[in-house]
């Protein structure tokens, strides 16, 4: 599950640090881009990664041409770039009084792995126990990524936002940040705890996992991104439906009445695998053509 979450969720607490040179798109390739058409709408669908190392040349001629031809930008959530608002929502939704210590929310045989994951990420039970299990899992995942050399400010969305603002084109969203966090916040506690355990398991391989996804994304290799799901643990169906499938269904409903030339940019994990957005749009009669 976290494999695709890496590709689709903004990792709000990651900071930049030094890293080896980032992979670059091979000649004639680049991150996946589709044309989406139906009725009075002829737009584009772009799969993003929300955090990136610096100096990745992902803006290929095909992407620049699509951006220039678009009449607006549509992100997962237009207000996601308001860091102050986003962090305030996370704190408000992610904290609850009287929660049991984090080590009491995982099986006894996982406590040692939890302690190691927290120590490796530079955090501890005292800091995380005030958060609900889904929020603690997100923070633990972010802590595990401190060595990745990535930054939200170097991600795709800030570049897109700057370009569309400069061009005087409007920017909208398919949902709100509150809806994004709400997908986690409304999970039953049992599912939240399973997500926490999976986060613990994947923490030790986070660097290698991210590098595999990044390499695949740069090449536009959606099959490789989809295969990552099969390498790790099987996703919890309750979590997968809430975080991916249900949101994709909602997004397809928002896209359905659109007209004009929107440039729609969502996390690449939403565009591959079971219940992906592309299949849902095709089911609604959209023609979806891979351009890059």
């Amino acid at each position: 599950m976290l494999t695709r979450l890496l590709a689709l969720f903004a990792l709000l607490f990651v900071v930049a640090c030094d890293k080896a040179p980032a992979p670059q798109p091979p000649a004639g390739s680049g991150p996946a881009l589709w044309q989406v058409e139906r009725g009075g709408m002829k737009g584009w669908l772009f799969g993003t990664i929300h955090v990136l190392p610096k100096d990745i040349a992902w803006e290929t001629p095909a992407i620049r041409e699509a951006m220039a031809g678009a009449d607006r930008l549509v992100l997962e959530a237009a207000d996601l770039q308001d860091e102050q608002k986003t962090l305030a929502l996370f704190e408000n939704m992610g904290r609850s009084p009287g929660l049991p210590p984090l080590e009491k929310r995982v099986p006894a045989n996982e406590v040692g792995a939890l302690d190691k994951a927290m120590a490796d990420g530079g955090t501890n039970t005292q800091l995380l126990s005030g958060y609900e299990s889904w929020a603690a899992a997100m923070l633990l995942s972010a802590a595990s990524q401190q060595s990745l050399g990535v930054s939200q400010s170097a991600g795709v969305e800030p570049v897109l936002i700057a370009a569309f603002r400069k061009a005087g084109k409007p920017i909208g969203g398919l949902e709100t940040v509150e809806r994004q966090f709400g997908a986690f916040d409304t999970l039953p506690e049992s599912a939240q705890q399973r997500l926490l355990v999976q986060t613990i398991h994947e923490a030790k391989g986070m660097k290698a996992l991210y590098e595999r996804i990044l390499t695949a994304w740069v090449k536009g290799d959606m099959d490789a991104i989809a295969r990552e799901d099969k390498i790790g643990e099987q996703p919890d169906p309750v979590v997968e439906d809430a975080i991916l499938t249900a949101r994709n269904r909602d997004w397809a409903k928002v896209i359905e009445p659109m007209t004009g030339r929107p440039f729609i940019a969502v996390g690449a994990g939403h565009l591959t695998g079971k219940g992906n957005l592309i299949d849902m749009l095709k089911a609604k009669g959209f023609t979806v053509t891979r351009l890059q």
Side-chain angles (χ1 to χ4, degrees), residues 135-176:
M138 190 174 288
L139 289 169
L140 181 59
S141 178
S144 301
Q145 295 162 45
Q146 296 301 311
S147 65
L148 297 184
V150 297
S151 169
Q152 187 181 4
S153 63
V156 172
E157 282 79 4
V159 175
L160 292 176
I161 288 170
F164 277 79
R165 280 178 177 167
K166 183 177 181 180
K169 298 177 182 180
I171 299 170
L174 297 172
E175 63 183 8
T176 63

Side-chain angles (χ1 to χ4, degrees), residues 1-282:
M1 172 54 63
L2 288 184
T3 299
R4 284 162 78 183
L5 293 187
L6 273 173
L8 65 93
F9 243 93
L11 304 173
L12 303 169
F13 314 101
V14 175
V15 296
C17 56
D18 292 335
K19 188 180 184 291
Q24 304 298 324
S29 73
L33 177 71
W34 293 263
Q35 187 100 67
V36 181
E37 302 177 70
R38 196 189 78 163
M41 195 266 259
K42 185 174 182 179
W44 295 266
L45 184 60
F46 180 45
T48 74
I49 286 185
H50 300 304
V51 292
L52 286 172
K54 294 179 180 179
D55 303 323
I56 288 188
W58 58 265
E59 292 182 76
T60 63
I63 293 172
R64 286 195 293 269
E65 182 178 352
M67 291 167 62
D71 59 18
R72 65 194 183 277
L73 173 64
V74 181
L75 303 171
E76 290 186 22
D79 52 349
L80 191 61
Q81 296 303 310
D82 186 340
E83 185 175 337
Q84 187 174 8
K85 175 183 176 181
T86 300
L87 291 175
L89 277 170
F90 181 83
E91 287 293 308
N92 182 56
M93 298 175 71
R95 284 187 179 273
S96 288
L99 293 169
L102 204 60
E103 63 268 23
K104 298 294 185 183
R105 293 183 244 164
V106 300
N109 63 340
E110 300 287 358
V111 172
L114 171 64
D115 290 341
K116 186 176 189 311
M118 288 192 295
D120 290 347
T123 187
N124 57 62
T125 300
Q126 185 176 358
L127 288 173
L128 297 188
S129 287
Y131 290 92
E132 296 175 20
S133 298
W134 70 268
M138 190 174 288
L139 289 169
L140 181 59
S141 178
S144 301
Q145 295 162 45
Q146 296 301 311
S147 65
L148 297 184
V150 297
S151 169
Q152 187 181 4
S153 63
V156 172
E157 282 79 4
V159 175
L160 292 176
I161 288 170
F164 277 79
R165 280 178 177 167
K166 183 177 181 180
K169 298 177 182 180
I171 299 170
L174 297 172
E175 63 183 8
T176 63
V177 175
E178 187 172 11
R179 168 67 177 91
Q180 288 196 342
F181 289 145
F184 289 93
D185 193 40
T186 55
L187 287 171
E189 177 60 21
S190 57
Q192 291 188 37
Q193 291 183 7
R194 289 193 294 270
L195 179 62
L196 177 59
V197 170
Q198 189 166 3
T199 306
I200 294 166
H201 292 174
E202 294 188 352
K204 63 182 178 181
M206 187 68 72
K207 188 172 188 294
L209 171 62
Y210 178 79
E211 288 178 353
R212 291 196 304 270
I213 291 176
L214 177 60
T215 298
W217 177 78
V218 165
K219 296 177 181 178
D221 190 345
M222 299 300 290
D223 289 338
I225 292 175
R227 283 195 300 271
E228 288 297 332
D229 271 348
K230 299 176 182 177
I231 294 173
E233 298 178 31
Q234 290 299 307
D236 184 317
V238 175
V239 177
E240 184 169 44
D241 182 71
I243 306 306
L244 290 168
T245 312
R247 292 173 67 220
N248 287 345
R249 283 195 297 264
D250 290 347
W251 293 357
K253 291 176 184 177
V254 175
I255 293 170
E256 188 171 12
M258 286 184 180
T259 58
R261 305 184 310 280
F263 186 95
I264 304 167
V266 301
H270 284 282
L271 305 179
T272 186
K274 176 182 167 186
N276 70 74
L277 180 59
I278 290 174
D279 287 347
M280 291 184 183
L281 291 175
K282 288 179 178 179

